[in-house]
Amino acid sequence: MMLRRTFLALATGVAAIGLGLGGASAQELPKLKKKDHYKVGFAQTESNNPWRIAQTESMKAEAAKRGDQLVYTDAAGSAAKQVADVNSMIAQGVDLIFLAPREEKPLIPAVMAAKKAGIPVILLDRNVDQSLAKAGRDYVTFIGSDFVDEGKRAAEALTKAMDGKAKIIQLEGTTGSSPANDRRKGFEDYIKAHPGMQVVASQSGDFARDKGRQVAETLLQAHPDATAIYAHNDEMAIGAIAALEAAGKKPGKDVIVVSVDGTRDALQAIIDGKMLATVECNPKFGPKAFETLDRYAKGEQIEPWVVNTDRFFDKSNAAQLIADAY
Ligand code: AHR
């Protein structure tokens, strides 16, 4: 009896996957019908930093401009909540889901559940594990920056400023997230060719200002001879600057700080001489996200990665560009 029930459950599951609840087969990407107005989901990771707030504002503004309905959720820093948020969007019958996957692996079930329900997913700003899900097969595309290149550009700027010699503390982003993995790779691969550039400590500050401050404080105590800090985002860099000042060190003189994003506070820190540079990671996804949705609805073949190009901010342009920063 037990065996029979297990077999039936398995058979039903396989059939559901095979047919897809929304009509698409397991191999097929769900289609999007052309409509005047859409009901779309946007599953945000958290809202504890200016980058996330700017991204959400950009998505909301673009949806409002087009007269589309945006079902917005904030996972408050929990991958499990973000999976539940996507499931709730599926239950509400949205036409398409924009997902900013907090971490690469835990959001795979959400991508697969949407596919199974016949709802196309576009990944925004962060990617998922490429060995588990693929653009064009499981989700439409990934729109975002080249994080490896961002890390490389931060390393290049630091290497040049330090004449190829530095003891570096690395503040990593959220563990298991694509920007943390890739910004680390880009940076570390670049400095391999510069033996004087040495990462003496590396720890996650979860992309958050206060966590970055706390981690920097601990790592500076363990490595008082550190001469540089590479933070995976500006919020942690600002936290690190506070930690340096609390330790009686002069950021920008005793310890050189470099990071990624381009927030207003980071540009101000550059103007104040406390930060060397920040590689841009542009959060204003609204126009490109909805333009990609329209292209998909028209039946266009979407490239697997819609690449955002990033600028670079240092003392040569920070004062001129700060008025437009977020
Ligand atoms: O995914 C992009 C990163 O996420 C940004 O650099 C960071 O500030 C945000 O939390």
mmCIF file of all heavy atoms in Angstrom, residues 49 51-52 125-126 147 179 183 207 233 261, ligand 1:
data_model
loop_
_atom_site.group_PDB
_atom_site.id
_atom_site.type_symbol
_atom_site.label_atom_id
_atom_site.label_comp_id
_atom_site.label_asym_id
_atom_site.label_seq_id
_atom_site.Cartn_x
_atom_site.Cartn_y
_atom_site.Cartn_z
ATOM 1 N N ASN A 49 20.412 49.007 2.541
ATOM 2 C CA ASN A 49 21.485 49.876 2.056
ATOM 3 C C ASN A 49 21.017 50.719 0.869
ATOM 4 O O ASN A 49 20.027 50.396 0.210
ATOM 5 C CB ASN A 49 22.770 49.062 1.783
ATOM 6 C CG ASN A 49 22.786 48.323 0.467
ATOM 7 O OD1 ASN A 49 22.381 48.857 -0.571
ATOM 8 N ND2 ASN A 49 23.265 47.089 0.472
ATOM 9 N N TRP A 51 22.031 51.166 -2.072
ATOM 10 C CA TRP A 51 22.026 50.506 -3.377
ATOM 11 C C TRP A 51 20.685 49.798 -3.600
ATOM 12 O O TRP A 51 20.044 49.956 -4.639
ATOM 13 C CB TRP A 51 23.183 49.495 -3.443
ATOM 14 C CG TRP A 51 23.517 49.011 -4.814
ATOM 15 C CD1 TRP A 51 24.535 49.444 -5.614
ATOM 16 C CD2 TRP A 51 22.836 47.988 -5.569
ATOM 17 N NE1 TRP A 51 24.524 48.770 -6.813
ATOM 18 C CE2 TRP A 51 23.501 47.870 -6.810
ATOM 19 C CE3 TRP A 51 21.740 47.174 -5.322
ATOM 20 C CZ2 TRP A 51 23.101 46.968 -7.789
ATOM 21 C CZ3 TRP A 51 21.338 46.268 -6.305
ATOM 22 C CH2 TRP A 51 22.015 46.167 -7.519
ATOM 23 N N ARG A 52 20.253 49.025 -2.580
ATOM 24 C CA ARG A 52 18.981 48.284 -2.695
ATOM 25 C C ARG A 52 17.801 49.249 -2.805
ATOM 26 O O ARG A 52 16.857 49.014 -3.561
ATOM 27 C CB ARG A 52 18.790 47.384 -1.466
ATOM 28 C CG ARG A 52 19.764 46.232 -1.391
ATOM 29 C CD ARG A 52 19.372 45.104 -2.316
ATOM 30 N NE ARG A 52 20.564 44.484 -2.863
ATOM 31 C CZ ARG A 52 20.593 43.807 -4.002
ATOM 32 N NH1 ARG A 52 19.522 43.649 -4.732
ATOM 33 N NH2 ARG A 52 21.702 43.280 -4.439
ATOM 34 N N ASP A 125 20.537 41.744 -11.242
ATOM 35 C CA ASP A 125 21.721 42.158 -10.475
ATOM 36 C C ASP A 125 22.531 41.049 -9.830
ATOM 37 O O ASP A 125 23.725 41.200 -9.645
ATOM 38 C CB ASP A 125 21.378 43.285 -9.477
ATOM 39 C CG ASP A 125 21.081 42.842 -8.052
ATOM 40 O OD1 ASP A 125 22.002 42.414 -7.359
ATOM 41 O OD2 ASP A 125 19.923 42.970 -7.636
ATOM 42 N N ARG A 126 21.901 39.937 -9.435
ATOM 43 C CA ARG A 126 22.687 38.799 -8.920
ATOM 44 C C ARG A 126 22.315 37.554 -9.696
ATOM 45 O O ARG A 126 21.173 37.411 -10.140
ATOM 46 C CB ARG A 126 22.424 38.568 -7.436
ATOM 47 C CG ARG A 126 22.994 39.658 -6.564
ATOM 48 C CD ARG A 126 22.928 39.314 -5.102
ATOM 49 N NE ARG A 126 23.325 40.457 -4.312
ATOM 50 C CZ ARG A 126 23.324 40.507 -2.990
ATOM 51 N NH1 ARG A 126 22.928 39.444 -2.315
ATOM 52 N NH2 ARG A 126 23.702 41.585 -2.352
ATOM 53 N N PHE A 147 30.778 41.282 -12.341
ATOM 54 C CA PHE A 147 31.360 41.415 -10.999
ATOM 55 C C PHE A 147 32.845 41.037 -10.963
ATOM 56 O O PHE A 147 33.598 41.582 -10.167
ATOM 57 C CB PHE A 147 30.611 40.524 -9.999
ATOM 58 C CG PHE A 147 29.153 40.859 -9.825
ATOM 59 C CD1 PHE A 147 28.189 39.855 -9.836
ATOM 60 C CD2 PHE A 147 28.740 42.158 -9.634
ATOM 61 C CE1 PHE A 147 26.848 40.152 -9.658
ATOM 62 C CE2 PHE A 147 27.398 42.471 -9.449
ATOM 63 C CZ PHE A 147 26.458 41.462 -9.464
ATOM 64 N N PRO A 179 27.881 38.392 -6.388
ATOM 65 C CA PRO A 179 28.859 39.487 -6.369
ATOM 66 C C PRO A 179 30.016 39.228 -5.403
ATOM 67 O O PRO A 179 31.154 39.619 -5.691
ATOM 68 C CB PRO A 179 28.038 40.713 -5.940
ATOM 69 C CG PRO A 179 26.761 40.199 -5.412
ATOM 70 C CD PRO A 179 26.525 38.865 -6.036
ATOM 71 N N ARG A 183 33.519 39.155 -7.177
ATOM 72 C CA ARG A 183 34.400 40.296 -6.857
ATOM 73 C C ARG A 183 35.670 39.799 -6.174
ATOM 74 O O ARG A 183 36.735 40.362 -6.337
ATOM 75 C CB ARG A 183 33.659 41.317 -5.981
ATOM 76 C CG ARG A 183 32.637 42.107 -6.773
ATOM 77 C CD ARG A 183 31.786 43.022 -5.914
ATOM 78 N NE ARG A 183 30.719 43.596 -6.743
ATOM 79 C CZ ARG A 183 29.655 44.213 -6.269
ATOM 80 N NH1 ARG A 183 29.501 44.367 -4.968
ATOM 81 N NH2 ARG A 183 28.742 44.697 -7.094
ATOM 82 N N PHE A 207 27.736 42.687 3.118
ATOM 83 C CA PHE A 207 27.345 43.874 2.335
ATOM 84 C C PHE A 207 26.711 44.969 3.211
ATOM 85 O O PHE A 207 26.044 45.855 2.695
ATOM 86 C CB PHE A 207 26.357 43.528 1.210
ATOM 87 C CG PHE A 207 26.978 42.895 -0.015
ATOM 88 C CD1 PHE A 207 26.464 41.720 -0.544
ATOM 89 C CD2 PHE A 207 28.043 43.487 -0.666
ATOM 90 C CE1 PHE A 207 27.010 41.139 -1.697
ATOM 91 C CE2 PHE A 207 28.605 42.911 -1.806
ATOM 92 C CZ PHE A 207 28.087 41.745 -2.331
ATOM 93 N N ASN A 233 31.584 46.194 -1.182
ATOM 94 C CA ASN A 233 30.641 47.276 -1.513
ATOM 95 C C ASN A 233 30.924 48.512 -0.657
ATOM 96 O O ASN A 233 31.696 48.453 0.307
ATOM 97 C CB ASN A 233 29.165 46.831 -1.445
ATOM 98 C CG ASN A 233 28.590 46.823 -0.039
ATOM 99 O OD1 ASN A 233 29.319 46.844 0.947
ATOM 100 N ND2 ASN A 233 27.273 46.781 0.051
ATOM 101 N N ASP A 261 30.458 50.104 -6.011
ATOM 102 C CA ASP A 261 29.056 50.577 -6.013
ATOM 103 C C ASP A 261 28.919 51.984 -6.600
ATOM 104 O O ASP A 261 28.313 52.148 -7.636
ATOM 105 C CB ASP A 261 28.368 50.547 -4.645
ATOM 106 C CG ASP A 261 27.673 49.214 -4.356
ATOM 107 O OD1 ASP A 261 27.662 48.350 -5.257
ATOM 108 O OD2 ASP A 261 27.166 49.024 -3.248
HETATM 109 O O1 AHR B 1 24.283 42.652 -6.073
HETATM 110 C C1 AHR B 1 24.856 43.901 -6.041
HETATM 111 C C2 AHR B 1 25.352 44.243 -4.657
HETATM 112 O O2 AHR B 1 24.321 44.022 -3.739
HETATM 113 C C3 AHR B 1 25.764 45.669 -4.417
HETATM 114 O O3 AHR B 1 27.095 45.910 -4.657
HETATM 115 C C4 AHR B 1 25.507 45.772 -2.959
HETATM 116 O O4 AHR B 1 25.671 47.055 -2.432
HETATM 117 C C5 AHR B 1 24.198 45.123 -2.860
HETATM 118 O O5 AHR B 1 23.732 44.766 -1.627
#
